């Protein structure tokens, strides 16, 4: 049985040995480090926000309804970045793609069409999504 090592406030044990997501690997020692989730998830605290996802259009990129996004407003969006955008006053999370001078807000689910940003539409990239945190077991209530 694995024992939890003592941990400092705001940190949690991080086992040194990775867990196999394929075939089981032989048991290894239980050496641990301490990991603070803030250090893992947040690079620039003054520009970071959490945002809960509502909808299914980004499931193909591992972003699910109810997930918590970690959004950094200070990062410039790059081609292919997943961003929180404001399009004509409404917030959306999409992948940003540029083609022949046009901006496309790409969905990652076949039931949701991409959005070609037309001339005259107001688009502001609000922030770049750095992480999506989702619950594995149980159901999230909103």
């Amino acid at each position: 049985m694995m024992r939890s090592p003592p941990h400092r406030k705001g940190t949690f044990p991080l086992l040194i040995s990775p867990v196999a997501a394929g075939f089981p690997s032989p048991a290894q020692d239980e050496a641990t480090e301490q990991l603070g989730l803030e250090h893992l998830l947040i690079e620039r605290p003054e520009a970071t926000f959490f945002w809960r996802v509502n909808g299914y259009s980004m499931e193909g990129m591992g972003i699910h309804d109810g997930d918590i996004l970690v959004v950094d407003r200070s990062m410039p969006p790059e081609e292919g970045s997943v961003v929180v955008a404001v399009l004509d006053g409404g917030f959306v999370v999409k992948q940003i793609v540029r083609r022949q001078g046009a901006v496309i807000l790409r969905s990652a689910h076949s039931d949701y069409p991409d959005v070609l940003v037309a001339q005259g539409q107001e688009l502001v990239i609000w922030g770049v999504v750095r992480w999506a945190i989702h619950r594995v077991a149980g159901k999230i209530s909103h």
Side-chain angles (χ1 to χ4, degrees):
M1 179 65 128
M2 190 176 300
R3 282 185 282 156
S4 293
H7 66 271
R8 297 180 301 271
K9 185 177 179 181
T11 67
F12 301 89
L14 170 67
L15 295 174
I16 300 295
S17 302
V19 64
F23 297 101
S25 64
Q28 298 179 357
D29 65 27
E30 301 172 11
T32 61
E33 295 178 350
Q34 294 294 308
L35 174 67
L37 289 179
E38 276 188 36
H39 288 88
L40 176 67
L41 301 176
I42 301 171
E43 202 169 316
R44 290 172 281 275
E46 67 284 354
T48 299
F49 295 82
F50 293 157
W51 206 316
R52 187 178 299 278
V53 175
N54 180 22
Y56 303 92
S57 73
M58 296 305 289
E59 281 190 344
M61 295 191 81
I63 298 173
H64 306 277
D65 183 54
D67 283 1
I68 300 291
L69 300 178
V70 180
V71 181
D72 187 331
R73 295 201 69 192
S74 69
M75 289 190 64
E78 298 177 359
E79 177 73 11
S81 293
V82 175
V83 299
V84 171
V86 185
L87 180 63
D88 293 333
F91 286 96
V92 292
V93 59
K94 300 285 182 191
Q95 183 181 35
I96 190 163
V97 177
R98 293 178 178 86
R99 292 286 183 270
Q100 300 173 343
V103 175
I104 299 166
L105 298 176
R106 179 160 287 161
S107 299
H109 190 292
S110 59
D111 290 346
Y112 295 85
D114 295 343
V115 177
L116 174 63
V117 179
Q119 279 200 326
Q121 285 190 293
E122 184 180 351
L123 174 66
V124 176
I125 303 301
W126 194 85
V128 174
V129 175
R130 301 285 294 158
W131 296 89
I133 304 167
H134 66 266
R135 188 178 189 137
V136 173
K139 196 169 189 168
I140 297 173
S141 60
H142 296 270

